[in-house]
Every structure is written in C-alpha cells, then in structure tokens.
Amino acid sequence: MEYVIKGYEPADALRYFEEISAIPRGSKNEQAVAQYVYDFAKDLGLEARIDTTYWNVVVKKPASPGCEDKPAVMIQGHLDMVCEKNAGTAHDFEKDPLDLYIEDGLLKARGTTLGADNGQAVAYMMALLARNDLVHPPLECVFTSMEEIGLLGALQVDTSDLHSKYMLNVDCGPEGTVFVSCAGGLLQEISKKVRWEKAGGDTVSLQVRGLLGGHSAAMIDHEMGNSIKVMGRILHGIQKQMEVHIVSLSGGSKMNAIPRESDAVITVPAGQGDKAIEIASHIAATAKAELAASDGGLYLQCEKAGAAERQMSLADSRQIIEFIFLVKNGVYTMSMEMPGLVVCSSNLGVATTDDTGVQLTDFIRSSDPTIRDHLDDEIRSLAQLLDIEIAPADPMPGWKYEAESPLRQLFMKLYKEQTGKEMVAVATHGGLECGILKDKMPDLDIIAFGPTADGAHTPDESLDLASFERTWNLILATLKALAEQ
C-alpha cells in the first residue's frame, strides 16, 4: 500500500496505524482486524490466541535477554473504532479504508473519524511485538473488541493464562495526564405494570424543555437538570393537591445521557385542569431559579389537551410518580482522596410508556463496588415499597483509586525526566476497560494514558504526531525501567 505518514517517528508504529486504518473496524465488525493482528503475531513466531466469538486477541512476547525473571507487563487497548462521518462524505465503513492525511502535524481522516481511539494502542503494541532492539520484561498484549458499545470484549477476555503484575492501558489522554481510576456501571431496568381504565376529568399536557443535558459521567457533577426528575417533581406537586392519573410518560433516550426533555399527559378531576397548570408552572419556575447558574434554560409547556381514551389507575399512577420523585439521582458520593472526583452517581436516563405500563432506565456509576451495591439496594428497596420491579443485573466493575501505585510513581517520574513537567493524575467517572481487567486480575497495578488526540468520536478527530512519538518514548522508558529494577 502507499503510505501517507512519512518523516515521523516511530515509523513502524505509524505504518501499522495506516495498515489497520485500511481495515474496516467498527464495533461488532472487528473480525478482519483481529485476524490481521493474530496473523501478524504468528508470523513473528509469537504465542498468540484469538477468540473467534468476540474477536479478542492476546499475544505474548518473551522478555528481552536477561529480563526473563521480571514481572510481566500487560499492554492493552481496543480494536474497534467509532464510525462517524460528515454529511456528504461518501464513505462505507463496512468496506472502505480511511482516507488519511496530515495537516499541521496532526493526522486526520477526510470526512470521517480517524480511529486514533484506539488505533494508537494497536499500533504501539504491534511495534513493541515486532522490534527486537528493546529492553523489556515479558509482555502480554491484549487487544479487545466492542469497547465503544459497552466494553463488551473486555468482559469476555480470558485471563486464565495471563500473569502480568503491571498494566499499561493506552486509551486515554491527553499527553501529560495519567488516569488512576474509573467508574464501573450497573444498569437498572425498572418497570411498573399498570391497570388501565377509561379516562375522565380534565386532560393536561406537560412538556419539560430547555435543559442542556450532557454525558452522565463527565457532566453529572455540573448540576445539570434532569428532565425526568423535574417532571416527577411537578407531578408530585400536583398530586399533593388533587388526584392525578398518568396517561403517558416519556423522556430521555440513552442510559448514559442526562435527559434534556420529558413529556407527560395526565388527567385530573373535572374542573381542576387550570389549577394543575398553575401548580406545575410554579414548580417549574422554582426549579428554573434553582438551576439558574448551571442549567437556566428550563421551561415548561403546559396546557389542557383533548380528552384521553385511557388512564392508569390512581394507585399505579401514585406509585410511579412517587418513585420518580424519590429515586436518587445525580452525585451520590465524592472522593475524599482526590478532590473533585465523583465516586458514585445515578442517572435516571430514560422513561417510556407502552400497553403494559411504564419503563424507566437508571444507570449507576461507581469506582467503589460497595458504594455501588449500597445505592442499588436503596433504589431496589424503594421500588419494592412502591410495587415496582427492577430486573436482576450484573455490574460492570470499576477501578478504585489506590493511593500507592509503584507503576504510577515510576511513570510520573520518567515523564518529568523526559519533559521537565509534572504529570497530572486524573480519575474519571467514565468507564474504562481497566475496571474489568482489574476485577479479573485484582493484583494488577494499572495506569491509563495516551498521546494527545482530539475530537474523538467525531469526524474532527486528530492525532498529534509529535505527541505520538513522545508517548512512544515514554512507553519504552517505562518498560526498560521495569526490566532493570
């Protein structure tokens, strides 16, 4: 193939990046790239295995001479990429190679995502496997699949034959930061089967609008309004003064997004529609004032509507309203070790209505499993009191911050030696594969990092090639230090 990236180092890693960029590798379409990496390793004479169900690949490389007795190091990243393109871009992510180009030292793809997330890790690992001039302990390179749609590959990785003491995850950035913790997750699928009856009284339509929303990890501590919770507050307020029957309830679209909009249609006793609107408008104004500094665009559209055909029973409506009003939402606990870090949170992300009743989706994030389980128990206990069901669910493990990490201390020391700058330790409330692998291998000492790459998951994605080289040099220095200590 004709290579685009010339004059930049490490030339071999960048060549591998170009080669995987020619292979379509969206989530759930990793078979070809997984086979490519597996064949690459086997051609090098390395021990490798491939999972032909989930398309994870594990490759082992012996230590460099004299380092055989050193603890093994896992290098880890994911094979899949997010496939997004600009309107008007003629690109088929199922068969077309990415169209790479360089602009002002930044590697980009024309009209599409670049896949530096996480092609950077794949390229680094391939170069580490192929080179014979490096000093390093035994290496265990783990290439996972379907990370972008829920860390699904990592959940299925077989670690029974892995023996690493240290783990370098290369799926974070920017350069100069080292990630030291991430949240796990627990999805709660909540449902209430209801008894339908013929509707009566005044029908009122309510629409919560104007909120900003945002990612339920990055924005959960920014005091954004949750439209479903605002709606629950409004319905609770009306219910305190009159009977309320739910006709329909909806809001949000994704478990991991703070919902921006929510709709409800209710019935109230005949002649009480105007009073219900007055109550709702007052509560919405109060909520807007409370959110003035963080999410002040809230407004309520509220009016009488045409007669409804059916409504939920009074008891079912009351239980649903009280659950939404009372259920925990937002930040639950903060870290006392790392200022500003959210340890545990909950996001009531989706509400829908169908013929059976109401379904809600709540997503708990936590880097501490005991706090996660406590919050889960609180919400389930509330649901039980209100005759609401929550389906059984398996949690996704988090990665709890550890004050003592020899690997992190070494890595930060080497970064300062190379750059003269202090590296910043960062904990994220988002999910990383580190949590899953830490759960499988509890003794792992983990860091997560990467070069500067901006615009992930968008067609504006770019990789800073100078940063790519500096990060490569830091990886080599870290492996050498671990081999010599």
Side-chain angles (χ1 to χ4, degrees):
M1 62 181 290
E2 180 68 25
Y3 293 100
V4 172
I5 311 171
K6 300 176 182 178
Y8 292 90
E9 295 293 338
D12 50 351
L14 291 169
R15 183 172 69 251
Y16 299 138
F17 187 96
E18 287 206 58
E19 290 177 6
I20 63 170
S21 297
I23 304 172
R25 52 189 176 93
S27 302
K28 292 190 175 182
N29 187 33
E30 297 99 336
Q31 179 176 351
V33 70
Q35 190 67 52
Y36 165 82
V37 170
Y38 174 77
D39 292 342
F40 173 87
K42 296 300 287 185
D43 288 345
L44 291 170
L46 299 174
E47 179 184 345
R49 57 179 166 86
I50 185 169
D51 173 355
T52 56
T53 300
Y54 297 98
W55 301 109
N56 296 310
V57 179
V58 175
V59 183
K60 295 184 178 183
K61 182 179 182 180
S64 57
C67 304
E68 293 85 358
D69 61 339
K70 301 300 181 181
V73 178
M74 181 190 301
I75 321 289
Q76 190 270 324
H78 61 88
L79 294 163
D80 59 320
M81 63 175 281
V82 171
C83 298
E84 291 288 336
K85 62 181 180 179
N86 289 325
T89 297
H91 183 91
D92 186 343
F93 281 107
E94 293 294 316
K95 62 181 182 181
D96 294 340
L98 299 177
D99 186 4
L100 304 183
Y101 70 100
I102 298 172
E103 182 178 74
D104 297 328
L106 301 178
L107 181 63
K108 301 180 180 181
R110 286 186 176 85
T112 70
T113 39
L114 172 65
D117 178 12
N118 192 217
Q120 62 195 30
V122 177
Y124 282 145
M125 285 191 281
M126 292 177 69
L128 289 172
L129 293 171
R131 286 201 184 187
N132 294 315
D133 60 341
L134 305 177
V135 178
H136 60 81
L139 300 181
E140 297 178 333
C141 291
V142 178
F143 304 80
T144 51
S145 66
M146 296 182 285
E147 189 270 353
E148 299 291 3
I149 55 173
L151 319 182
L152 302 183
L155 287 167
Q156 302 300 328
V157 167
D158 178 7
T159 61
S160 61
D161 64 342
L162 301 181
H163 307 288
S164 290
K165 179 179 179 180
Y166 305 108
M167 173 179 157
L168 311 181
N169 168 280
V170 198
D171 190 21
C172 294
E175 180 187 0
T177 60
V178 58
F179 283 73
V180 299
S181 173
C182 74
L186 179 62
L187 180 64
Q188 294 182 317
E189 296 286 3
I190 305 161
S191 61
K192 172 70 175 174
K193 294 182 179 179
V194 304
R195 181 172 64 85
W196 293 99
E197 59 188 32
K198 185 176 180 179
D202 292 351
T203 303
V204 178
S205 170
L206 305 106
Q207 298 179 322
V208 173
R209 297 290 186 268
L211 295 172
L212 295 173
H215 196 281
S216 68
M219 304 296 287
I220 200 69
D221 61 340
H222 290 207
E223 297 297 328
M224 317 306 291
N226 180 307
S227 64
I228 300 173
K229 287 291 292 180
V230 172
M231 183 65 77
R233 180 175 176 177
I234 290 169
L235 297 179
H236 172 79
I238 299 172
Q239 185 173 256
K240 287 169 65 177
Q241 299 195 40
M242 65 186 73
E243 293 185 350
V244 174
H245 292 264
I246 297 174
V247 174
S248 65
L249 176 68
S250 63
S253 62
K254 295 181 179 179
M255 68 173 188
N256 59 358
I258 302 169
R260 297 180 297 107
E261 299 181 348
S262 185
D263 293 16
V265 177
I266 61 173
T267 60
V268 296
Q272 293 294 299
D274 289 336
K275 179 65 173 176
I277 290 173
E278 179 184 340
I279 296 168
S281 299
H282 174 72
I283 294 172
T286 300
K288 178 182 177 68
E290 293 169 356
L291 293 168
S294 60
D295 205 355
L298 169 69
Y299 66 93
L300 177 71
Q301 295 177 340
C302 188
E303 60 185 0
K304 288 184 180 179
E309 294 183 1
R310 66 179 186 178
Q311 62 189 22
M312 299 178 194
S313 72
L314 184 63
D316 290 335
S317 297
R318 180 178 295 277
Q319 288 171 331
I320 293 165
I321 291 169
E322 291 306 286
F323 180 83
I324 294 173
F325 177 69
L326 292 170
V327 70
K328 300 282 188 181
N329 185 80
V331 174
Y332 187 63
T333 55
M334 299 289 293
S335 173
M336 294 296 100
E337 295 176 297
M338 294 198 70
L341 171 63
V342 179
V343 172
C344 185
S345 72
S346 176
N347 178 60
L348 187 61
V350 183
T352 59
T353 303
D354 62 16
D355 288 342
T356 66
V358 171
Q359 293 79 42
L360 303 168
T361 300
D362 185 85
F363 190 52
I364 297 173
R365 295 180 184 271
S366 181
S367 55
D368 188 317
T370 61
I371 297 175
R372 174 202 66 210
D373 292 345
H374 179 66
L375 177 55
D376 177 50
D377 194 23
E378 279 194 44
I379 296 174
R380 288 179 184 273
S381 296
L382 174 63
Q384 187 175 20
L385 289 172
L386 295 170
D387 195 26
I388 288 172
E389 296 182 1
I390 302 181
D394 293 325
M396 185 177 296
W399 168 28
K400 187 177 180 180
Y401 172 74
E402 296 178 351
E404 294 298 321
S405 167
L407 177 59
R408 181 174 72 241
Q409 293 163 5
L410 172 65
F411 191 72
M412 296 178 76
K413 172 178 173 288
L414 292 171
Y415 177 79
K416 185 173 183 180
E417 289 176 357
Q418 288 193 354
T419 67
K421 302 175 184 177
E422 296 288 347
M423 179 168 266
V424 178
V426 176
T428 177
H429 195 49
L432 295 173
E433 292 169 298
C434 303
I436 295 169
L437 291 163
K438 178 72 171 178
D439 185 65
K440 293 174 181 281
M441 302 174 66
D443 294 331
L444 275 178
D445 186 357
I446 303 175
I447 56 172
F449 61 95
T452 298
D454 295 324
H457 301 187
T458 77
D460 295 325
E461 184 179 8
S462 65
L463 173 63
D464 185 317
L465 291 171
S467 178
F468 185 83
E469 180 180 5
R470 289 191 295 270
T471 302
W472 167 254
N473 291 333
L474 183 57
I475 293 171
L476 298 188
T478 302
L479 295 176
K480 186 173 187 292
L482 290 173
E484 294 178 345
Q485 66 180 12

